[in-house]
Amino acid sequence: MRSSNGIRLLLCVTFLTAPALSAQSAQQPAAVVESAQPPPAVAESAQSPEPVSVQRAARDEDIRSELQAVFDRVPSLIRINVQVNAGVVRLVGTVLDAESREKAEQLASEIEGVVYVENRIRESTSLDEQLQPTWTRLQNLGYGIIAKLPLLVVAVLIVVAAGLLGRLLARWSGPAFLDTRNPFLQNLIRRALQALLLLLGFVLALDLLDATALVGAVVGTAGLAGLALGFAFKDIVENYLAGTILALRQPFSKNDEILVDKFHGRVVRLTPRETILMTLDGNHVRLPNALIFRSPMINYSRNPLRQFLFTAGLGPNDDLAHAREVGISTLQRLTGVLRDPAPQVLVLELGDSSVTVQFSAWIDQRETEMLRIRSEAIRIVKQALESAGLTMPSPGYVVQLEQAGAEAINSPPSPVPAGAETVQVDVSKDQTVEKQIDADRSTSDEDDLLDVAPGKPK
C-alpha cells in the first residue's frame, strides 16, 4: 500500500517538473544557434568580397564621368579634360577667359566626393579660338535674321511710313494753333509731332520683332549719356537752352537796335547758340545767348518814338526864360522833330561860371535817324542862342576891366523873328548798317531763329 503511494507521489513530481525541464531544454538550443552566427564584420566581408581600392576607383570614375558630362555641355568649357584619382580632381585644357577657368573649378568642387581640385586650365591665346565664339554668334544672328526676314521687312515699312507721315505733317500748315507769327515756335511744334510719329513707328517695329526690351536699354543709355554730356558741356547746353527761350519769347527782331551789357548794335540773326550784332560802326559781335538771357537789355527799336537830348552851358547873367523860348522854337522848326510830344528845355544845374541847360525832343525813328537829327539840333540851337545874344562861356571867371564892355555884355538879346523858316536838313534814317546786314544775310548759311514765317509781316 505504501509502495503504491510512493509510486503515485513520484509520478506527480515528475508531471509537475516536466514543463520546466522542457522550457530549459528549448532555451539551450537557441543560445547555441545564436552563438553559432558569425560577427557583423565577417558577414559584411562575406557579402562584398571586392577590396576597398576597387570601390574608390569606381567612385573616381563616377566623379570623372559626371563632371566631364557637364563640361561637354557648356561651350566655354568643352576643351577641358577631367582626371580623378582618390578624390583629387585634375582639370587640364584651355578656356577663352579667366571667368571660365574659375567656373570650371567651382563646378568640380561642388560634386560630392571631391577632396581637392587641381586646376591646370590655361587661357587660350589662339586667335582662331578667340574668334570662334564671335563667329558662332554672328552665324546664329544671321540665321535669326533670315528666319525673321518677313517680319523685318514689315517693321522697316512701318518705320518708313511713320517717317513719311511725319514729313508730310511738317510741310502742312497745320491747325489753328500752328498759325503763329513766331517761326521758331511753329517749327518746334512741327518737329515735335514729326519726332513723335517716328518714335511711335520705331516702337511698333520693335514690338513686332519682339525686341521691346531694347527700347528700355536705349532710353537708359541715352539718359546717362545726356547727363554726362550736360555736365561736360554745361556752357554749350546753357547757350542752346537760352537760344530756345529767346526764340520763343522774341525780345528783339531783325535789325532791332539793342544794348546788352556794353555791346550796342543792330541784330543780324539769332542762332541756336549765339546772337550776332552789327555795331553802328560796322563790326560783328557774337554774343552767347546765355549772356543775353541773363543781362538787362535795352531795345531801342520796340518803341518807334525816341527822345534825343543834349546839354549846353549858358552864362550866369543870361535870361534863362528867353533861352528856353529860343531853344523850343528852334527845335520845332527842325525837320523830323515831333510836335507831340513837344520839345523841352530844362535847367539842370547852376554852377559858378555857367548854368547847365538841357534841350530834348522826340522823333519817329522809323523815318528819322537818331544820330543825324541830334547832330543837326545841336548845331542850329547853338547858332540860335548865339544869334539871340546868349553866351555859352567856358568854365572860369571873367574879370571886367572896362565899363563899356559890361554894357555890351548886358545888352538885351535880339528877338527871334516870328516868321522864321523851317530848317530843312537831311535827317532821314541811315540805311548803311541795314544794307550791310542784308548783305551778310544773303551770304551766310547760319540758321536764323528770327526768320518770319512765309506770308507773315515783319
Side-chain angles (χ1 to χ4, degrees):
M1 190 71 181
R2 289 181 180 177
S3 60
S4 61
N5 292 334
I7 292 172
R8 291 179 181 176
L9 181 61
L10 180 61
L11 292 175
C12 289
V13 172
T14 302
F15 179 77
L16 292 174
T17 59
L21 292 175
S22 61
Q24 183 177 3
S25 63
Q27 290 176 359
Q28 287 179 354
V32 174
V33 173
E34 182 178 358
S35 63
Q37 292 180 355
V42 177
E44 182 179 356
S45 62
Q47 292 177 1
S48 54
E50 296 180 355
V52 177
S53 61
V54 176
Q55 296 180 0
R56 180 74 260 182
R59 180 57 183 160
D60 290 344
E61 180 59 25
D62 292 340
I63 294 174
R64 190 201 70 79
S65 301
E66 180 181 355
L67 189 57
Q68 190 68 55
V70 173
F71 289 167
D72 291 343
R73 286 172 172 80
V74 180
S76 60
L77 308 178
I78 198 171
R79 295 182 179 85
I80 300 177
N81 294 322
V82 182
Q83 302 173 5
V84 183
N85 185 9
V88 177
V89 177
R90 176 181 296 176
L91 305 178
V92 181
T94 59
V95 293
L96 297 179
D97 49 34
E99 184 180 358
S100 300
R101 185 174 182 272
E102 296 175 359
K103 185 65 176 177
E105 182 177 351
Q106 180 183 358
L107 291 174
S109 62
E110 292 177 353
I111 294 181
E112 184 179 359
V114 174
V115 178
Y116 178 75
V117 178
E118 183 180 356
N119 194 344
R120 293 189 177 183
I121 302 175
R122 297 179 294 105
E123 294 186 29
S124 176
T125 58
S126 173
L127 182 61
D128 294 339
E129 293 182 359
Q130 292 287 343
L131 293 179
Q132 184 61 35
T134 304
W135 176 246
T136 302
R137 286 195 295 269
L138 290 176
Q139 284 182 329
N140 295 333
L141 180 61
Y143 294 149
I145 291 176
I146 293 175
K148 291 187 175 181
L149 190 58
L151 292 178
L152 183 62
V153 172
V154 175
V156 171
L157 291 178
I158 292 176
V159 175
V160 171
L164 293 177
L165 184 59
R167 292 184 62 181
L168 291 176
L169 183 61
R171 294 179 180 178
W172 176 43
S173 59
F177 68 88
L178 285 179
D179 188 15
T180 173
R181 185 171 179 263
N182 190 330
F184 179 77
L185 179 59
Q186 189 180 52
N187 188 47
L188 185 64
I189 296 175
R190 289 176 177 174
R191 289 186 180 274
L193 293 176
Q194 184 178 3
L196 183 61
L197 283 176
L198 191 60
L199 178 62
L200 181 61
F202 270 113
V203 171
L204 291 177
L206 292 175
D207 183 66
L208 183 64
L209 296 175
D210 197 17
T212 51
L214 183 62
V215 177
V218 172
V219 171
T221 304
L224 292 177
L227 184 62
L229 291 176
F231 281 107
F233 302 98
K234 174 181 176 296
D235 293 338
I236 297 177
V237 173
E238 184 180 9
N239 286 326
Y240 275 98
L241 290 177
T244 302
I245 296 175
L246 290 175
L248 292 175
R249 295 177 56 187
Q250 299 230 343
F252 48 79
S253 302
K254 288 183 177 181
N255 294 0
D256 278 3
E257 183 181 350
I258 64 174
L259 174 64
V260 179
D261 198 5
K262 59 180 179 179
F263 303 100
H264 184 197
R266 294 189 178 274
V267 177
V268 179
R269 69 177 58 85
L270 170 65
T271 67
R273 183 179 176 185
E274 57 196 1
T275 300
I276 302 172
L277 300 183
M278 181 174 288
T279 61
L280 301 183
D281 54 357
N283 294 320
H284 280 75
V285 179
R286 291 181 175 267
L287 301 180
N289 288 331
L291 173 65
I292 297 179
F293 185 75
R294 293 193 305 264
S295 303
M297 180 182 63
I298 300 177
N299 190 337
Y300 295 105
S301 301
R302 278 300 167 96
N303 184 9
L305 301 184
R306 185 173 177 182
Q307 185 185 50
F308 70 88
L309 52 87
F310 59 92
T311 61
L314 301 180
N317 298 323
D318 289 341
D319 187 353
L320 297 181
H322 182 59
R324 177 178 178 276
E325 294 176 0
V326 171
I328 292 176
S329 62
T330 303
L331 290 175
Q332 288 178 343
R333 290 186 293 110
L334 181 60
T335 303
V337 173
L338 300 178
R339 296 299 181 94
D340 185 19
Q344 287 185 343
V345 177
L346 302 175
V347 179
L348 296 183
E349 186 176 340
L350 179 62
D352 294 336
S353 58
S354 64
V355 179
T356 303
V357 180
Q358 175 180 277
F359 301 86
S360 63
W362 290 85
I363 63 170
D364 186 348
Q365 58 182 346
R366 294 172 297 185
E367 301 175 356
T368 306
E369 179 61 34
M370 176 70 179
L371 295 179
R372 286 182 177 181
I373 195 168
R374 183 177 182 273
S375 173
E376 188 62 23
I378 294 174
R379 185 187 69 82
I380 65 173
V381 167
K382 176 180 178 296
Q383 184 179 4
L385 292 175
E386 291 175 347
S387 300
L390 299 171
T391 61
M392 287 179 287
S394 59
Y397 294 95
V398 178
V399 179
Q400 300 179 0
L401 299 178
E402 297 181 359
Q403 186 67 25
E407 294 177 356
I409 294 176
N410 294 326
S411 59
S414 57
V416 178
E421 297 181 356
T422 302
V423 181
Q424 297 290 341
V425 293
D426 183 13
V427 292
S428 61
K429 189 171 179 60
D430 188 5
Q431 301 291 333
T432 303
V433 176
E434 281 78 356
K435 291 179 181 178
Q436 297 182 43
I437 293 176
D438 292 339
D440 182 273
R441 291 197 185 108
S442 63
T443 58
S444 177
D445 57 353
E446 290 184 295
D447 294 334
D448 191 357
L449 303 183
L450 298 176
D451 282 334
V452 178
K456 300 290 182 181
K458 285 188 177 182

